[in-house]
Amino acid sequence: MSSEPPHKSRDPALLGQTLVVIGGSAGIGLVTAAHACAEGAPVILTGRDPERLRVAAAEVGARSTAAFDANDSAQLRQFVEEGPDPIDHVLVTAGQPSYGRLCGLDTEQARRALTDHMVLALAVARHTVACIRPGGTLLLLGGTGARRIRAGLGTVSTATAAMPVFTASLALELAPVRVNQIAAGFVDTPLSARLLGEDLDSRRAELRDTLPIGRVVVPDDVAALAVHLMTNTALTGATCDIDGGQQLVG
């Protein structure tokens, strides 16, 4: 007779908790939405393209979609005012890093490159905080790849360095809403494919050969961490790295 305890099923971790994904029609945002739906969350996907959102929502079983430009403060405010209330979690994946030399930019280009990501996150925070339940989550997506200072990457290195402080400061200001950042290294997404172009396969091979985990980080890895940060109510003000050990090997 087996001495092992009987298997106990668990309730879905996000049962009945509403998640809004800002930038959820593809990549990490969409995969996280799929994980959250599987854990019982009603999910609302947002993005700019209504047709892409419709297809994405059908793919993962999202409850609804909203097409607007999150960088447009008026459109963002209208979405929040007309959208679900209350919200339990907001994930911000919209936007992408800006690569370049600091001195190669004029003033306006520098302003956009260094602050756009944080300004978007701040706008989302300001507009949604009143709708997020106490103990809910504002979850930001950042990176780790540019923490080592290298010539030609001054813009992304500067923005990367600022994000943990920005996240921690928001966590204090928005409490009891929790604010955390996922800092990802290379993740095999459509965005990575667009940025690397013909170099994508060689980058994948290089990482498989050098990363301690022996494989490339994929969106499912990041999505699993995102769900954990939504459910672990002891975490706020944290920047959680997920790069397969990329920083350890250069």
Side-chain angles (χ1 to χ4, degrees), residues 1-7:
M1 182 176 179
S2 174
S3 60
E4 294 183 2
H7 174 72

Side-chain angles (χ1 to χ4, degrees), residues 144 148 185-188 203-218 221 242-250:
T144 64
R148 289 192 173 126
F186 175 91
V187 183
D188 202 346
R203 183 58 171 154
R204 286 170 173 158
E206 176 191 7
L207 291 169
R208 283 193 292 268
D209 289 341
T210 58
L211 290 182
I213 63 171
R215 64 176 180 85
V216 175
V217 177
V218 296
D221 299 315
I242 180 165
D243 66 357
Q246 187 175 341
Q247 295 174 90
L248 307 179
V249 297

